Amino acid sequence: MLITLNKSADPKEVQRRLYRLGLWSQALAPRTEGGAASLLVAPHSATIDPERIARVQGVAEVSVPKSPHPRVDELARRGHAINDQVSIGGDLPPVLMAGPCSVESEETAFESARIAKRAGAQIMRGGAFKPRTSPYSFQGAGREALGWLRAAADAEGLGVVTEVMSEHEVEAVGEVADLMQIGSRNMQNYALLRAVGQLHKPVLLKRGMAATIDEWLQAGEHCMAAGASVVIFCERGIHSFDPSTRNLLDLSAVALLRHAYGLPVVADPSHATGRKDLVVPLAHAALAAGAHGLLVEAHPDPAEALSDGPQALDPDQLIALGQKAFPS
Amino acid sequence: MLITLNKSADPKEVQRRLYRLGLWSQALAPRTEGGAASLLVAPHSATIDPERIARVQGVAEVSVPKSPHPRVDELARRGHAINDQVSIGGDLPPVLMAGPCSVESEETAFESARIAKRAGAQIMRGGAFKPRTSPYSFQGAGREALGWLRAAADAEGLGVVTEVMSEHEVEAVGEVADLMQIGSRNMQNYALLRAVGQLHKPVLLKRGMAATIDEWLQAGEHCMAAGASVVIFCERGIHSFDPSTRNLLDLSAVALLRHAYGLPVVADPSHATGRKDLVVPLAHAALAAGAHGLLVEAHPDPAEALSDGPQALDPDQLIALGQKAFPS
Amino acid sequence: MLITLNKSADPKEVQRRLYRLGLWSQALAPRTEGGAASLLVAPHSATIDPERIARVQGVAEVSVPKSPHPRVDELARRGHAINDQVSIGGDLPPVLMAGPCSVESEETAFESARIAKRAGAQIMRGGAFKPRTSPYSFQGAGREALGWLRAAADAEGLGVVTEVMSEHEVEAVGEVADLMQIGSRNMQNYALLRAVGQLHKPVLLKRGMAATIDEWLQAGEHCMAAGASVVIFCERGIHSFDPSTRNLLDLSAVALLRHAYGLPVVADPSHATGRKDLVVPLAHAALAAGAHGLLVEAHPDPAEALSDGPQALDPDQLIALGQKAFPS
Amino acid sequence: MLITLNKSADPKEVQRRLYRLGLWSQALAPRTEGGAASLLVAPHSATIDPERIARVQGVAEVSVPKSPHPRVDELARRGHAINDQVSIGGDLPPVLMAGPCSVESEETAFESARIAKRAGAQIMRGGAFKPRTSPYSFQGAGREALGWLRAAADAEGLGVVTEVMSEHEVEAVGEVADLMQIGSRNMQNYALLRAVGQLHKPVLLKRGMAATIDEWLQAGEHCMAAGASVVIFCERGIHSFDPSTRNLLDLSAVALLRHAYGLPVVADPSHATGRKDLVVPLAHAALAAGAHGLLVEAHPDPAEALSDGPQALDPDQLIALGQKAFPS
């Protein structure tokens, strides 16, 4: 954002007036004498309406770039339906989405759904197709698991969120999912974003491991431009230089999307930390930062999980979290 | 951590048993046949007592590196006195430390102390010596400000935390501060850590902008080895690739220090975000993640602040935060 | 890598012997007395054959994890054919791949090919499908451009490398490309990696913007497991906290892949820096670090480029680079 | 940098004209109709003289921020004397600075100097005071080592660069060093920068592990403002998310300082990589990127080094590097 000053204004004075609004700025001087000075507002400033800034004494004009994500911007500050029962965003109460990393069998699917329901979840999560770093790891049970997931969720009256990894599977996933999940590794897989958007369904878009907020919102714009009904942004940890957690859960990003931009945003503390002993405190922290909901991994028996067992909560841990943070 | 297996044990079976405890591991095979297999526990695993791991079926031995910070380890899971009135850590209620970025005059010091007190703070923060990126920025009011700070805090019955930047100022700062603050830029200024430790006082050690947790704890060990009575670790944001916040507040680190290591840890949401509109939600998030206290910047009139005005809360904002998060 | 010591060995002595080989290590002590000590070799150590380490005095056994990318490992230390004319890797001379960011018309394609040829390039690069952060930016000229690219390259006797972004376009791209490019945003788009691998052609795999070396090699393993004839790794800059360059060209990674692992690796200084004034020095630096080749963007008239004009070299700059670094 | 357009100019046309110069820009529209549009130049653009930009058709005015480091800017594009024999910067041939991590004894000092000389070094490096992550590691031989270092260097006609860590040691180090080294951990230890600057000697300023280029140059400004005769910037690797190298050598930064800003800059491939097997290729790469010199660790017998042995070149390796890259 650029603020052009009246010729008589003292840039330092105006900068100080902007401080009160939470704006950092850098003064720019014209190359030739007699031109107007201007102030360039730093990106880490508070988000303030340009009209309000224009009324600050000494300000002649405020110039802003065109938003690169106008359709995403329209999602701000209101709730959005995921299905007939569940809505999310705005000032609605937070939504718990819980379940196993991968849906391994019909039996564990039904057991996971029962546990999720008892914990107060409204949406069941679970992967049929799993993006795995190694081609030799378990890749998910595939299309069959989609059926188990839907049946288990229906038995408990839950919605379904599940990941789609391939353009060829968009239709099949779309038949069972209320909320189409795009994983962090595919955040900028634009062919997939477009194919998923064309279903006109809600999309859960995980942030890429090194994506800036702007890249993330523009990836959401790809979905919206293709026809998605809403994009719910999911922070799941970014790459950091510290190995003590698997990833670094960026709750500044959650606070920014919720409080500064008003966009629907949830957090996944399980993938972010990778460590069961930190999932619960970071789940509470995410909600305090403003998350509209949580994605949490839980497994009937983490020792038997075919993927990501060390970060899965066991049933008692999930129920305790749900009762504390999602009272019905 | 290294787990050596019984020769008859199946590494995959043991790995799955470790899942239940929250441990990720990598299997290592000996170069020659007939040797015992071993499992290397990943650093992003849950923190589990080696004795408990040794009892898992199939485990022959558990080997651990010697802790590089034994004196810091001894601080775990108990409270520590900052002065006669205030203690922090363990399961003690959180402590609010509030005040201006820099102590600019006697008058603003007293006004800031009154506001901090009304907000429920037990410690007043405020800088006499300011580390500034530019040599041409305001560098703090210096030694005179130390006196104003102490007098203002005393008038309200508050403790004092203030930063020391130079070995030559350690003594002067030590005369007024209850808690000696070492800034993030000096986290690995070992000469300063040693000089401050030699005062035998409590130290508040801010995390460096790219410091790993391990480097941070070892910096604390420098203080403890020199004689500090306690080190309170302060997360204040790390450098990230996203410009939307000034720094990235790493609440995983806060949760890790509190819940996995049991160490006294506080958070500074003001410097972390740099944006007034995110300070309050991230303050709540930090407490939910497990912070034993907060450092918050507030100024009687942010527009008049000589440094960091855009991130300072105004009096009403600070009092609202204090009443909600630090009820007395 | 884990080194188990003889019971009589002094860990500090053995550590010092390992220094000479370039190995950093951390000592691990068994929980119970009388067990053997071990040394855990740090990942940033020099790459040394375990057999050589086993001969160091005091060492009883060396244990290593199974490689997660065995098929990639087999590519090491030898050349690989891209097409009938061009081979890359091992100790072969470096290969220049040059051309425009996107293939905009038949005319510019032919002109670009002529320039690439004059500069000494053996492969022409150019995008028909462009991954763009915004859905509203130019997305490439599409399938028609594939034909222009092939015809232009053929006219000059050049090979073709071009990016494939969608599973639905794999076949069409495979018909014209000698080398199938997978972009950094799709490095972990496993559905695409598999589909491309199934063509049994050479793959150029760009590193993701926050991918660790290990994730990158495992992504290559996805291609190889699916049938790719070879994977050529391409460093193109990672996300960093500094805005002065668009990305940070990681030449340590290039040196590591070339000198420690022996794998075919090239660098793309154009996308890495985004700034024309740094492309040439970093191109030379990449070759000095060990790159087996370069991908360089050049355009007959950068001002008229529909994408990435500011980083494209003009014809004279490309020819000067080629003559200096790729003498025929 | 801000470019204000003529009212009749088409922003897209002007943006394309700027492409040819290597400038990326973002269009800003005024809030009210009829105002002039402007273009904000992205920081990762090529460095171009504002006067040249002002002559582009459609440009009305160019506004730039005041440089935050005017004294550093004055160092650009010319050579600077380190002592009576050695100068560095501008278009002068590169300078080799070599020696052990720490100066451990008089004997190894003299032996190291002989090796450095044979390799073509003009400056001997070696630490008397060592910043160590752990308080329990070897902290350097201290003041005594300063004498050994000076005597050894004098015996071979070499200059001396050595690190100063404490304000209390500035004078003692200043008595022996031609070039005062400030380590990366102290890059923003402003009290030390000031104290060192006041000696009016040349300073070698290592980049902090997460310092942006701008923070680094402003740290240099602290030295210059206090009186330093010249600041030579030293890139030594930044913190990254990949553990395969100890740090990530940022050669983009080297190229930027040399080619875009014209400032004296050297690289330290030893600390950057931590791995002996990558030091030599990255040394060559640093020179190709534009480094005015190298700091390289070498030890008469790396196995006997008291610190950082695994990254030290042995005498033969150093001499081979010197003969290839620093022919006299």
Side-chain angles (χ1 to χ4, degrees), chain C residues 202-218:
Chain C
V203 176
L204 182 111
L205 181 62
K206 289 199 162 184
R207 182 180 179 188
M209 275 165 271
T212 63
I213 308 282
D214 187 64
E215 290 167 339
W216 192 18
L217 299 184
Q218 290 202 49

Side-chain angles (χ1 to χ4, degrees), chain D residues 204-271:
Chain D
L204 182 109
L205 181 62
K206 289 199 163 187
R207 181 180 179 188
M209 275 166 269
T212 61
I213 306 283
D214 187 65
E215 290 167 338
W216 191 18
L217 298 185
Q218 290 201 51
E221 188 74 8
H222 274 268
C223 300
M224 293 301 296
S229 65
V230 61
V231 174
I232 298 161
F233 295 90
C234 178
E235 164 65 31
R236 47 77 72 206
I238 56 176
H239 265 186
S240 149
F241 48 79
D242 193 274
S244 312
T245 52
R246 206 178 182 189
N247 296 287
L248 192 161
L249 185 67
D250 181 2
L251 293 181
S252 308
V254 171
L256 185 76
L257 262 66
R258 169 69 184 267
H259 296 287
Y261 301 164
L263 294 172
V265 59
V266 301
D268 174 350
S270 306
H271 280 89

Side-chain angles (χ1 to χ4, degrees), chain A residues 65-124:
Chain A
K66 209 170 122 186
S67 170
H69 37 68
R71 288 183 172 87
V72 165
D73 295 344
E74 285 170 18
L75 300 173
R77 307 199 189 284
R78 58 192 171 89
H80 300 274
I82 294 176
N83 60 19
D84 291 348
Q85 277 80 45
V86 189
S87 289
I88 196 166
D91 292 323
L92 294 172
V95 173
L96 177 60
M97 314 188 194
C101 176
S102 71
V103 178
E104 296 154 355
S105 69
E106 192 167 8
E107 191 191 340
T108 58
F110 276 80
E111 197 172 343
S112 295
R114 276 191 297 274
I115 296 160
K117 179 72 178 182
R118 281 190 53 204
Q122 293 175 277
I123 309 269
M124 180 173 177

